[in-house]
């Protein structure tokens, strides 16, 4: 049985909750087509049966629309500190979004500030959701283009924010957003993701910085 504890971060509408549901193979986190974040507070859940060793933490999407991001971030950091054992942080992208969104940049800066220990970046992976099974093959084949476009931007932002030069790349994964389809490629990607998380040691949450002063710097 795989044991894995992971945190999902990303912009509103990028498919964090759908990714959590795909990991569990059932609907655990609420999702909708509403442009506002369906997830209002940071919350975690264990899977069942063969997934009983998997714990996924879902977070509100960053959007700055309601002025509640600061409150969400404070609650998220408090949740992390009171639920030790976190092994991985997953930054979630929408496969169909071409721009490197400002809110994703905020997520990365947040990580730099909340986790001042530089080795946290060896616990970070990038996941593109909405990699639908029915996409034309030519569209699916753009995976490497996505990685080549976004990876340097994430790495540069990390280096600019905390000066960490040690990370050269992050693990990358591509997943459909509908667990009911049981797309073979996406299932293999989820298995790869969980296997990667499983071999990681927990992040030292004692080094997580108090949220309030951090958010003033980031948001």
């Amino acid at each position: 049985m795989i044991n894995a504890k992971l945190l999902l971060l990303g912009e509103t509408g990028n498919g964090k909750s759908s990714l959590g549901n795909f990991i569990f193979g059932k609907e655990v986190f609420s999702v909708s087509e509403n442009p506002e974040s369906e997830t209002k507070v940071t919350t975690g859940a264990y899977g069942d049966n063969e997934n009983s060793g998997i714990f996924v933490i879902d977070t509100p999407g960053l959007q700055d629309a309601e002025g509640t991001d600061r409150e969400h971030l404070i609650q998220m950091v408090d949740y992390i500190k009171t639920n030790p054992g976190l092994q991985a942080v997953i930054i979630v992208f929408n496969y169909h979004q071409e721009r490197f969104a400002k809110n994703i940049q905020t997520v990365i800066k947040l990580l730099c500030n909340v986790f001042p220990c530089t080795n946290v970046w060896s616990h970070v992976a990038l996941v593109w959701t909405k990699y639908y099974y029915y996409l034309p093959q030519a569209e699916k084949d753009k995976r490497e283009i996505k990685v080549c476009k976004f990876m340097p931007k994430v790495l540069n932002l990390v280096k600019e924010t905390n000066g960490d030069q040690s990370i050269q790349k992050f693990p990358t994964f591509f997943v459909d957003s509908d667990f009911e389809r049981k797309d073979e490629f996406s299932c293999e990607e989820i298995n790869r993701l969980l296997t990667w998380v499983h071999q990681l040691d927990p992040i030292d949450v004692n080094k997580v910085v108090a949220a309030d002063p951090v958010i003033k710097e980031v948001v």
Side-chain angles (χ1 to χ4, degrees), residues 100-129:
F100 189 50
K102 180 180 178 181
N103 288 335
I104 290 292
Q105 297 177 48
T106 299
V107 167
I108 295 166
K109 290 182 179 180
L110 173 71
L111 283 174
C112 289
N113 284 269
V114 171
F115 298 96
C117 49
T118 56
N119 71 342
V120 70
W121 293 102
S122 62
H123 296 255
V124 172
L126 312 182
V127 175
W128 278 265
T129 60

Side-chain angles (χ1 to χ4, degrees), residues 18 31 36 38-39 85 90 103 105 124 134 141 144 151 166 211:
S18 295
V31 297
E36 296 181 358
E38 185 71 15
T39 305
I90 311 302
N103 288 335
Q105 297 177 48
V124 172
Y134 55 76
D141 290 342
E144 290 305 315
M151 184 79 73
S166 63

Side-chain angles (χ1 to χ4, degrees), residues 8-146:
L8 309 180
L9 291 176
E11 191 176 28
T12 298
N14 276 13
K16 296 182 304 302
S17 299
S18 295
L19 175 60
N21 291 337
F22 205 116
I23 290 172
F24 289 135
K26 65 177 184 178
E27 185 166 342
V28 175
F29 304 109
S30 297
V31 297
S32 76
E33 298 300 322
N34 193 316
E36 296 181 358
S37 180
E38 185 71 15
T39 305
K40 301 302 182 184
V41 296
T42 296
T43 184
Y46 276 104
D48 53 21
N49 300 321
E50 70 273 15
N51 293 325
S52 60
I54 300 171
F55 188 76
V56 176
I57 303 173
D58 192 20
T59 61
L62 292 177
Q63 59 179 336
D64 289 326
E66 300 176 351
T68 56
D69 279 353
R70 186 170 181 274
E71 178 183 341
H72 288 160
L73 294 173
I74 291 172
Q75 192 259 331
M76 182 195 75
V77 173
D78 288 343
Y79 189 94
I80 293 171
K81 295 188 74 169
T82 55
N83 289 272
L86 178 66
Q87 293 165 275
V89 178
I90 311 302
I91 301 177
V92 180
F93 295 91
N94 180 342
Y95 189 72
H96 303 278
Q97 187 174 70
E98 297 298 329
R99 64 187 178 88
F100 189 50
K102 180 180 178 181
N103 288 335
I104 290 292
Q105 297 177 48
T106 299
V107 167
I108 295 166
K109 290 182 179 180
L110 173 71
L111 283 174
C112 289
N113 284 269
V114 171
F115 298 96
C117 49
T118 56
N119 71 342
V120 70
W121 293 102
S122 62
H123 296 255
V124 172
L126 312 182
V127 175
W128 278 265
T129 60
K130 305 187 180 183
Y131 186 74
Y132 300 123
Y133 78 99
Y134 55 76
L135 289 175
Q137 191 60 45
E139 187 67 22
K140 290 184 175 181
D141 290 342
K142 293 180 180 179
R143 294 195 306 273
E144 290 305 315
I145 295 176
K146 296 284 185 181

